[in-house]
């Protein structure tokens, strides 16, 4: 192919990338990390192609459709060399075939509670001296010593998603945006009460949001959460999907969700936890397993009732959680969950 054809092909490619608001420059993205007195857990993705940040939210179906499709048109940067910096410490790790990296940084000494800044750089593995390819800054959370930690699902727990019906889920995902979608009535007020219970505005009960939604939707979910005033927290999502897998969105392997929750609980062995989910998929089963494995650490379980065919099964699971001595509330409206939290002394009226 001659230079003229190569130049034309490159121009056409750049034109379509610009129209779709995609970048073909290498990008590293750090997600919110977390840690304890001895280590920080840090993860992220490296992309060869990624979606540019959305800065306008027009509620037009076609615009929303393209905005979501862009998130699944990403191209991972496999095996990229990533350097993570925290203060004077640096640790090297490699992205996997899907561009994802996760590493643990051992702390020299315990950190004060709160958010701490970290940085990641992707460097060339073939050019000497090292060539900086991409960098990003992020933050990691050291939880305050508050009464409990909350672990919440996302879809159909606080974000109306219709996860039990794939057609409805896709319709909402592809035609709405992070500003036009809505949370369940009263759920934000309940979460804010949980965040402030027995704590203060400078030291809130921390939230971890663990979901079967993919990392593709990280910025989408974060924007929704911030817009609606949900407690700031750490997000633990499911492996990246490509456009050809869009029909499977939100249907990650549920055992990995159990693993992510287990990792959080094991990192804070002296803490109490509140679990929040719904009955559309496997939250009741997963939470019952968590209660069986960590009965002394689970303070309460909340399950939103949204899918009638699962009601009988969920009621049976709720009975096993109650029998284990852990308070459990199976509710339709967030006002019920809020009243339950007050009744058991989890929050103040």
């Amino acid at each position: 192919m001659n230079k003229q054809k190569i130049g034309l092909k490159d121009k056409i490619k750049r034109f379509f990338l610009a129209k779709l608001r995609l970048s073909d420059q290498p990008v590293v993205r750090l997600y919110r990390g977390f840690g304890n007195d001895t280590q920080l857990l840090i993860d992220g993705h490296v992309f060869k192609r990624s979606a540019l940040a959305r800065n306008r939210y027009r509620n037009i179906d076609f615009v929303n459709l393209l905005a979501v499709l862009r998130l699944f048109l990403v191209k991972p940067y496999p095996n990229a060399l990533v350097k993570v910096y925290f203060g004077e410490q640096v640790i090297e790790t490699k992205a996997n075939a899907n561009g994802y990296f996760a590493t643990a940084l051992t702390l020299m000494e315990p950190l004060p509670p709160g958010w701490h800044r970290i940085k990641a750089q992707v460097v060339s593995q073939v050019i000497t001296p090292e060539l900086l390819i991409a960098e990003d800054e992020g933050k990691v959370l050291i939880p305050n010593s508050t009464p409990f930690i909350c672990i919440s699902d996302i879809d159909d727990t606080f974000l109306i998603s219709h996860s039990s019906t794939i057609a409805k889920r896709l319709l909402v995902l592809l035609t709405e945006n992070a500003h036009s979608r809505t949370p369940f009535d009263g759920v934000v007020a309940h979460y804010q009460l949980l965040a402030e219970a027995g704590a203060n505005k400078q030291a809130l009960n921390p939230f971890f949001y663990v979901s079967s939604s993919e990392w593709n939707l990280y910025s989408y979910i974060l924007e929704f959460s911030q817009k609606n005033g949900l407690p700031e927290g750490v997000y633990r999502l499911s492996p990246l999907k490509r456009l050809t897998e869009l029909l499977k969105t939100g249907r990650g392997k549920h055992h990995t969700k159990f693993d992510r929750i287990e990792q959080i609980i094991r990192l804070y062995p002296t803490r109490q936890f509140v679990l929040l989910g719904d009955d559309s998929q496997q939250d009741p089963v997963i939470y019952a397993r968590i209660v069986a494995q960590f009965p002394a650490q689970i303070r309460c379980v909340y399950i939103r009732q949204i899918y009638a065919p699962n009601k009988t099964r969920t009621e049976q699971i709720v009975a096993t959680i109650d029998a284990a001595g852990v308070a459990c509330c199976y509710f339709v409206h967030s006002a019920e969950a809020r009243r339950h939290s007050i009744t058991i002394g989890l929050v103040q009226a």
Side-chain angles (χ1 to χ4, degrees):
M1 188 179 290
N2 60 41
K3 291 182 179 180
Q4 187 175 6
K5 287 184 177 179
I6 293 174
L8 179 60
K9 184 178 179 181
D10 190 52
K11 286 181 181 179
I12 293 172
K13 177 183 175 182
R14 289 202 303 270
F15 173 80
F16 281 106
L17 287 173
K19 288 297 182 183
L20 291 170
R21 287 187 54 77
L22 292 167
S23 170
D24 62 351
Q25 299 299 309
V27 167
V28 57
R29 288 194 179 144
L30 279 168
Y31 303 127
R32 291 179 179 178
F34 58 105
N36 57 18
D37 286 345
T38 61
Q39 64 177 327
L40 302 179
L41 301 183
I42 299 160
D43 64 348
H45 267 102
V46 187
F47 298 108
K48 286 187 175 180
R49 180 176 66 224
S50 60
L52 297 172
R54 188 170 183 177
N55 48 30
R56 295 179 64 192
Y57 286 88
R58 295 174 292 167
N59 198 17
I60 302 171
D61 288 354
F62 180 70
V63 174
N64 291 332
L65 172 66
L66 286 181
V68 172
L69 292 180
R70 290 188 302 114
L71 303 178
F72 290 86
L73 286 169
V74 295
K75 185 177 181 180
Y77 196 135
N79 306 314
L81 178 62
V82 182
K83 291 187 174 184
V84 177
Y85 296 86
F86 178 72
E88 299 299 317
Q89 294 182 252
V90 59
I91 188 170
E92 289 189 2
T93 186
K94 272 196 174 185
N96 64 15
N98 214 22
Y100 178 76
F101 64 90
T103 188
L105 187 147
T106 301
L107 293 171
M108 301 298 187
E109 57 184 22
L111 296 172
W115 292 98
H116 298 267
R117 305 302 303 181
I118 54 171
K119 183 173 73 172
Q121 293 184 342
V122 179
V123 296
S124 170
Q125 300 178 59
V126 295
I127 299 176
T128 304
E130 290 179 342
L131 176 66
L132 177 64
I133 298 174
E135 63 181 343
D136 189 28
E137 289 191 357
K139 57 185 182 179
V140 292
L141 175 67
I142 302 295
N144 287 283
S145 297
T146 53
F148 53 82
I149 295 172
C150 295
I151 298 178
S152 173
D153 179 49
I154 295 173
D155 292 302
D156 287 320
T157 297
F158 65 77
L159 171 61
I160 300 173
S161 304
H162 307 288
S163 297
S164 58
T165 308
I166 186 62
K168 283 187 178 180
R169 175 178 167 81
L170 282 173
L171 180 64
V172 170
L173 179 63
L174 296 174
T175 60
E176 300 282 348
N177 62 58
H179 283 204
S180 63
R181 290 180 69 177
T182 55
F184 288 97
D185 286 344
V187 69
V188 174
H190 184 216
Y191 277 40
Q192 289 173 343
L193 274 179
L194 291 173
E196 296 170 4
N200 59 67
K201 292 188 177 181
Q202 284 70 46
L204 300 176
N205 295 307
F207 267 74
F208 287 81
Y209 299 104
V210 183
S211 173
S212 294
S213 286
E214 301 78 19
W215 284 116
N216 307 68
L217 298 171
Y218 179 75
S219 58
Y220 184 109
I221 293 169
L222 185 60
E223 181 71 19
F224 174 88
S225 300
Q226 292 173 335
K227 177 186 178 294
N228 287 282
L230 285 150
E232 189 174 24
V234 175
Y235 295 79
R236 311 298 297 152
L237 306 185
S238 293
L240 207 68
K241 282 189 172 65
R242 308 301 293 274
L243 187 61
T244 54
E245 301 172 291
L246 185 58
L247 290 176
K248 300 177 183 178
T249 178
R251 296 186 174 265
K253 295 178 180 178
H254 293 288
H255 72 269
T256 68
K257 186 173 181 178
F258 174 89
D259 293 342
R260 281 172 276 151
I261 295 172
E262 181 186 37
Q263 181 189 43
I264 295 166
I265 295 174
R266 288 194 182 281
L267 199 67
Y268 307 107
T270 63
R271 306 297 294 275
Q272 292 274 298
F273 290 83
V274 174
L275 309 180
L276 303 108
D278 63 85
D279 67 359
S280 65
Q281 296 187 62
Q282 295 299 313
D283 285 349
V285 175
I286 293 170
Y287 290 176
R289 286 181 61 197
I290 291 292
V291 167
Q293 188 161 333
F294 303 98
Q297 282 188 259
I298 309 305
R299 176 71 174 82
C300 187
V301 177
Y302 289 94
I303 303 291
R304 182 182 296 279
Q305 181 186 325
I306 65 157
Y307 189 52
N310 285 346
K311 183 179 179 183
T312 300
R313 183 196 71 161
T314 304
E315 286 175 337
Q316 294 169 349
I317 294 172
V318 167
T320 67
I321 294 173
D322 282 329
V326 174
C328 187
C329 179
Y330 187 33
F331 66 96
V332 176
H333 301 291
S334 291
E336 298 172 52
R338 181 175 180 273
R339 285 195 296 270
H340 180 270
S341 295
I342 294 170
T343 300
I344 67 171
L346 194 62
V347 304
Q348 296 296 314

